[in-house]
Amino acid sequence: MYTQGLNQGPDAADRRIEDAALLQRFQERIDAEERIEPNDWMPEAYRRTLVRQISQHAHSEIIGMQPEGNWITRAPSLRRKAALLAKVQDECGHGLYLYAAAETLGVAREEMVEQLLAGKAKYSSIFNYPTLTWADIGAIGWLVDGAAIMNQIPLCRCSYGPYARAMIRVCKEESFHQRQGYEIMLTLCRGNGAQKEMAQDALNRWWWPCLMMFGPPDAASQHTDTSTRWKIKRFTNDELRQKFIDATVPQAHFLGLTVPDPDLRFDEATGHWAHGAIDWEEFRQVVAGNGPCNAQRMERRRRTEEDGAWVRDAARAFAEKEKSRHRAAA
Amino acid sequence: MTEPAASEPKVPLWEVFIRARNGLAHKHVGSLHAADATLALQAARDLYTRRGEGLSIWVVPSAAITASDPAEKGMMFEPTASKVYRHPTFYEIPDEVGHM
């Protein structure tokens, strides 16, 4: 739909003056809360930033199917199994909405997938942690999807139209994910001692990696400034992390669980929960590919791509055959 | 735009339109990739109607759509702004006449 090649620039000699004027007009549109659409003029850096962010977001949804998919066959009841299947299917759908949004910027889905498979593209660090028990499925829904929602709600007002629209759809679907996760945790916490212990263990393992999902602290983040000016980002990493902590700590207390942070305390003066130091070295290691499951996730993704090749070949061959039959009949 | 290094040929892009309920027009909801129309329709069902979003789906090859150029939106749409006499409020009718 979003035909490319409409944005042919003026002659090189005029380009710099023209660009400055265009850039100013672009920023005015952003400041006026106008949405930018695929064929509108945009600075190359804006396009690059969005392609990077949206494709990483898409990859995260796709890789994110693995840790939860791990428990589909072992879900404790048919009710839980049906919900988990629906949730994993949603994650796939979210990945596809996002790839489509990125494609409006002139990058082919095949190209993005290629980058992921070649190990050149990143995805969220959180999906490189293992799901060891059923309680992890509860913790992921409650915490990981909770963190994702915190991050995605402001993205519904992102300056780039197709991304914002994809986010609105994703957020609508995501709220069931968080609720089903919390319900799993609640059931375990109201169960026997071993079940409650399992829930506590899951919280212990997922809490800190979830806080890392929001990215490096503001002082160290390299993308925040321009992304904020261009209204791709509406809150800083630290602001979103704080919102998440403030929302989640009381939920943990309701479950009767202990947040694994000895320094966590409610600050009466600010009205926020103050947290202890985050182990950013662990985050760096996971992002660099050295997390517990990085290799496994990539191996699985590559194998799936290879295993599906015959399906794509068959579909393509059939489409060709139908087309030639159609031509012969005409 | 760079060409993908993938050896597989690209799968065509389709635009998806859904009628939420009878009485409403089909509305654009997004796009997807599929080898042919039948698969595009099935993928659209899986991707865009998991929660009862619609009663009817159209899929259209993206390449079949001709779009206006946003850079020319001034030339395309601006003249209508000066034609205020196309709106009912342009005409003055005394209050005594009542609602018209």
Side-chain angles (χ1 to χ4, degrees):
Chain A
M1 151 154 284
Y2 304 109
T3 20
Q4 303 307 321
L6 291 174
N7 300 322
Q8 298 302 323
D11 292 336
D14 303 329
R15 188 163 288 164
R16 207 162 315 162
I17 308 160
E18 183 76 358
D19 273 5
L22 285 170
L23 195 60
Q24 193 192 339
R25 208 173 323 145
F26 176 81
Q27 191 61 51
E28 282 165 7
R29 291 188 62 194
I30 301 261
D31 294 343
E33 295 291 329
E34 266 185 53
R35 291 287 176 272
I36 306 301
E37 293 297 337
N39 283 327
D40 293 348
W41 184 89
M42 61 184 84
E44 267 317 299
Y46 179 81
R47 186 185 300 274
R48 255 199 325 272
T49 302
L50 280 168
V51 168
R52 181 177 49 80
Q53 182 171 335
I54 301 172
S55 62
Q56 282 183 14
H57 198 159
H59 299 326
S60 301
E61 301 281 355
I62 298 297
I63 296 287
M65 290 192 283
Q66 292 187 35
E68 292 182 287
N70 184 33
W71 280 89
I72 290 174
T73 57
R74 293 177 286 169
S77 68
L78 188 56
R79 181 178 184 271
R80 295 291 187 213
K81 187 179 202 162
L84 186 56
L85 262 173
K87 180 178 188 300
V88 172
Q89 193 188 15
D90 274 353
E91 307 299 359
C92 176
H94 297 172
L96 296 178
Y97 306 153
L98 285 160
Y99 281 130
E103 284 196 290
T104 63
L105 292 158
V107 57
R109 187 177 73 181
E110 284 87 346
E111 198 178 336
M112 293 182 270
V113 171
E114 194 73 14
Q115 280 171 354
L116 175 67
L117 297 180
K120 286 185 219 152
K122 301 257 183 265
Y123 55 87
S124 177
S125 55
I126 195 75
F127 301 117
N128 292 313
Y129 291 87
T131 41
L132 304 177
T133 71
W134 171 252
D136 288 14
I137 299 306
I140 288 184
W142 170 38
L143 301 171
V144 175
D145 289 276
I149 291 170
M150 217 43 106
N151 185 43
Q152 287 165 348
I153 284 176
L155 286 174
C156 295
R157 293 185 296 127
C158 163
S159 62
Y160 188 57
Y163 192 25
R165 291 191 285 275
M167 280 301 104
I168 290 169
R169 234 192 130 76
V170 167
C171 283
K172 266 188 206 159
E173 300 184 349
E174 202 97 57
S175 79
F176 123 66
H177 298 181
Q178 195 186 14
R179 289 171 65 102
Q180 69 92 35
Y182 195 73
E183 196 195 78
I184 290 172
M185 294 301 271
L186 203 54
T187 307
L188 289 170
C189 289
R190 287 173 176 169
N192 62 31
Q195 287 168 324
K196 185 157 185 189
E197 206 173 297
M198 192 190 271
Q200 180 65 57
D201 169 63
L203 175 59
N204 291 349
R205 283 180 292 108
W206 290 93
W207 176 254
W208 291 105
C210 281
L211 297 191
M212 295 174 197
M213 280 177 74
F214 296 94
D218 295 349
S221 178
Q222 46 179 327
H223 302 301
T224 296
D225 281 357
T226 41
S227 286
T228 305
R229 187 156 40 87
W230 283 333
K231 297 194 176 163
I232 294 172
K233 215 175 162 134
R234 302 238 173 206
F235 296 97
T236 69
N237 294 352
D238 286 339
E239 285 167 347
L240 288 171
R241 191 166 13 247
Q242 189 61 55
K243 270 173 186 271
F244 172 76
I245 294 170
D246 290 343
T248 313
V249 170
Q251 293 166 356
H253 291 164
F254 183 84
L255 293 171
L257 297 179
T258 308
V259 175
D261 178 355
D263 297 326
L264 189 75
R265 59 179 179 82
F266 189 73
D267 186 336
E268 294 285 352
T270 60
H272 294 295
W273 286 88
H275 62 89
I278 296 171
D279 179 3
W280 291 112
E281 183 49 30
E282 175 181 328
F283 176 73
R284 269 187 292 275
Q285 285 298 326
V286 176
V287 171
N290 305 320
C293 298
N294 295 58
Q296 183 188 333
R297 301 290 184 239
M298 288 308 299
E299 195 276 327
R300 177 80 181 274
R301 184 66 194 83
R302 288 191 188 109
R303 186 153 40 84
T304 306
E305 186 75 9
E306 282 165 26
D307 289 351
W310 72 271
V311 180
R312 295 191 297 276
D313 287 344
R316 204 176 293 119
F318 183 76
E320 277 306 314
K321 195 167 82 178
E322 286 294 290
K323 232 184 270 173
S324 56
R325 265 194 200 146
H326 211 73
R327 273 196 297 269
Chain B
M1 227 193 329
T2 45
E3 283 300 305
S7 47
E8 284 183 33
K10 286 186 198 167
V11 181
L13 190 63
W14 301 74
E15 299 304 323
V16 182
F17 299 81
I18 290 178
R19 184 203 292 285
R21 53 191 162 82
N22 282 333
L24 294 182
H26 284 75
K27 191 171 171 247
H28 184 243
V29 293
S31 27
L32 55 81
H33 290 269
D36 62 27
T38 312
L39 288 176
L41 215 49
Q42 285 193 2
R45 170 194 173 273
D46 288 347
L47 192 54
Y48 290 106
T49 65
R50 288 196 302 280
R51 289 174 174 80
E53 288 90 339
L55 302 172
S56 160
I57 304 176
W58 289 349
V59 288
V60 180
S62 306
I65 291 176
T66 308
S68 67
D69 181 350
E72 301 197 335
K73 65 172 185 272
M75 195 179 75
M76 287 282 275
F77 308 111
E78 190 54 39
T80 65
S82 59
K83 295 179 171 54
V84 285
Y85 44 83
R86 283 178 174 160
H87 297 279
T89 47
F90 179 75
Y91 301 93
E92 283 178 28
I93 306 288
D95 289 346
E96 301 92 281
V97 180
H99 177 72
M100 183 180 280

